[in-house]
Amino acid sequence: MVRTMRGSGQAPGTGAAPGARGEAAREVLALRNLVAVYRHLSGLAVQDADLAAVTRLIAEQTGATVAVVSPTMDILTAAAPGDTGERAAQSVRDLVVHPRLGEVLTAASRARRPLRLPGAHTSASVIVAPVLVGDDVPAHLLTLDTGGQGTGEDSSLLLTEHAATICGVILSRERVVASAAGRVRDDLVEGLLSGRGQDRAETGRWATHLGYDPGRRHHVLSVALGAARASPATALDLLRRAAAPDAITSVRDTEVAVVLPEPGEDGAAPRAVRLGTLCTARLDELFPEVTVTIGIGGPCYGPEQIRHSYAQARRTVETARRMGRTGRVVAFGDLGIHRLLLQVPDLSELRGFADEVLGKLSADPSGQFQAYLETLACYFRENASPQRAARVLHVHPNTVSYRIHRVEEITGLDLGNYRERLMAQVALEILDAVGEAP
């Protein structure tokens, strides 16, 4: 033993040197491995990598279960050594129920740095690192040490922090891409609604990019909000969650335009009516002081007809507003002659015409003004049949005939004359349009 010590050239008391050199060598190796993983992670940031690639890399290098979770504890992606599927996600699900984990996530978000939670639900410790995107923390990176290769506490903390930074870069890139794609999509939708396409072929290409199905009939809805508190984005979000994933939507000022496919072949709009009714009901629950009026345009059988249906939907909303019928779902096809009458800029002109034709009825001393108007309207609807009108009004046919005769006497109209009968019908429609019908 003495010869060995002499041969080694070491002074007495230096027998621990080989162990120290071994520890230093291990530290150097760990540092080199850490630098290598850093470089690999940085390479993922400049590639078209996703969050799953980051978690797989960290899991392989550290032997730990790694996951990215949202602030609401939804698992965005998870990986474990030798497993990138459901088992890794299940391990994280078992972890996120730990009562202290939520507190650690909040603390890590505030501190903007990784924190360690020792023995969270298992004997292993958990490192929580916030994923920063600007001032937001849209996710957290979790490293659950399962006792695998064991990179050391300090190395694991540094590696998790750097991996979270790379995740932030990836999420930032995805946000930029999504924002740019959203702007392009909005431009295409605006082009369809306004008819900016150069020709039918170009309009068809725009519609195809937006997912328009030319084999289905569509209706365009105009969801118009009557107050500023409920933003169009709120209505748009409600529409997207209202069973309309195949709809093409666009926010326009205080309105949401929706191009909605219909399942049927006829010209009716049952799905559009259901969606509109659902949207108004939901908005009424959230914002009871807000008035929402929805106009439904006529059917369009090709992308080049979208602008016509949208124009009809807008006109329907304006007509409903002028008629004092806001807060409803109104289809363009149900407006009838009202859509023509209400093109007159001044409603007083319409009322003036109605007064000239039927106004004298209100001056009749018998006080039967409303009964005369109601009978006259029903008489016209039943194609001038006193018998059918009597059944609807639950009166004797002679009563109907008498009232019609009195209308002619008081107003001076001859309802047997086509033009005068038409004037009376239009006057009744005007009263209905301005909300003064019986």
Side-chain angles (χ1 to χ4, degrees):
M1 179 179 295
V2 174
R3 285 194 300 268
T4 303
M5 291 180 65
R6 289 176 180 174
S8 64
Q10 295 176 355
T14 59
R21 286 197 298 270
E23 181 66 24
R26 284 192 294 271
E27 291 180 359
V28 171
L29 179 60
L31 183 58
R32 287 178 177 174
N33 289 337
L34 183 62
V35 172
V37 178
Y38 266 44
R39 289 176 177 173
H40 199 160
L41 284 171
S42 300
L44 293 178
V46 298
Q47 299 171 9
D48 191 19
D50 55 10
L51 297 179
V54 176
T55 57
R56 284 196 301 268
L57 175 63
I58 301 303
E60 293 170 359
Q61 294 296 325
T62 64
T65 299
V66 184
V68 179
V69 300
S70 70
T72 57
M73 299 298 188
D74 295 322
I75 301 172
L76 305 181
T77 183
D83 174 49
T84 58
E86 182 59 29
R87 283 187 298 173
Q90 186 57 51
S91 298
V92 180
R93 290 192 192 97
D94 295 338
L95 169 66
V96 297
V97 298
H98 190 279
R100 287 190 57 200
L101 185 59
E103 299 176 4
V104 175
L105 291 180
T106 302
S109 299
R110 291 175 179 172
R112 296 293 197 268
R113 61 184 179 84
L115 298 177
R116 184 185 298 276
L117 176 62
H121 198 66
T122 66
S123 59
S125 63
V126 179
I127 299 174
V128 176
V131 177
L132 302 178
V133 178
D135 294 330
D136 298 331
V137 183
H140 289 83
L141 181 68
L142 307 183
T143 300
L144 174 61
D145 187 0
T146 55
Q149 300 173 16
T151 58
E153 292 187 358
D154 293 339
S155 297
S156 296
L157 200 66
L158 291 172
L159 188 57
T160 303
E161 182 177 25
H162 187 62
T165 301
I166 301 304
C167 289
V169 172
I170 293 173
L171 288 180
S172 298
R173 183 179 65 228
E174 291 178 353
R175 283 191 176 185
V176 171
V177 172
S179 177
R183 288 195 296 270
V184 172
R185 179 181 177 84
D186 289 344
D187 289 342
L188 292 178
V189 176
E190 287 294 317
L192 289 179
L193 295 175
S194 61
R196 290 202 306 258
Q198 297 294 327
D199 51 40
R200 187 168 182 171
E202 184 179 39
T203 302
R205 288 194 297 271
W206 290 357
T208 300
H209 287 310
L210 294 169
Y212 180 89
D213 184 357
R216 299 176 67 181
R217 177 175 52 87
H218 291 68
H219 285 90
V220 180
L221 289 77
S222 173
V223 183
L225 308 181
R229 181 177 171 186
S231 67
T234 303
L236 178 60
D237 182 57
L238 289 171
L239 283 169
R240 284 175 173 167
R241 290 183 292 168
D246 53 348
I248 301 172
T249 55
S250 175
V251 178
R252 298 165 60 92
D253 298 328
T254 58
E255 171 208 36
V256 178
V258 183
V259 182
L260 184 72
E262 292 282 352
E265 296 296 332
D266 56 13
R271 189 186 183 202
V273 173
R274 289 196 303 271
L275 179 61
T277 303
L278 180 62
C279 182
T280 53
R282 183 60 178 148
L283 283 173
D284 186 60
E285 291 176 3
L286 296 176
F287 308 99
E289 74 282 6
V290 173
T291 301
V292 182
T293 305
I294 300 181
I296 302 175
C300 48
Y301 299 91
E304 71 282 354
Q305 298 177 359
I306 289 177
R307 67 186 184 94
H308 296 294
S309 182
Y310 174 62
Q312 292 171 347
R314 291 286 300 271
R315 198 184 315 161
T316 300
V317 170
E318 292 304 316
T319 300
R321 285 173 171 171
R322 295 191 70 190
M323 293 172 65
R325 300 181 183 182
T326 56
R328 303 186 185 183
V329 181
V330 185
F332 180 76
D334 294 337
L335 291 178
I337 194 174
H338 293 170
R339 68 193 190 214
L340 298 178
L341 294 176
L342 292 176
Q343 296 304 304
V344 178
D346 189 357
L347 288 182
S348 62
E349 294 185 14
L350 295 177
R351 291 193 181 94
F353 175 83
D355 287 341
E356 289 178 9
V357 178
L358 300 174
K360 294 179 181 179
L361 292 175
S362 61
D364 183 63
S366 66
Q368 295 294 306
F369 173 64
Q370 290 295 331
Y372 290 153
L373 289 182
E374 182 180 3
T375 302
L376 183 61
C378 185
Y379 178 74
F380 285 145
R381 285 196 300 269
E382 298 301 324
N383 296 318
S385 170
Q387 289 76 21
R388 289 198 297 269
R391 285 195 294 269
V392 174
L393 297 172
H394 304 290
V395 297
H396 195 277
N398 290 342
T399 301
V400 174
S401 299
Y402 169 76
R403 290 176 179 174
I404 297 300
H405 178 67
R406 284 293 296 155
V407 167
E408 290 181 314
E409 284 185 341
I410 296 171
T411 62
L413 293 171
D414 178 8
L415 297 181
N417 180 278
Y418 165 75
R419 290 186 180 277
E420 296 189 19
R421 183 171 65 250
L422 179 60
M423 288 174 59
Q425 290 176 311
V426 171
L428 285 172
E429 292 293 342
I430 290 174
L431 294 178
D432 183 40
V434 298
E436 298 177 5

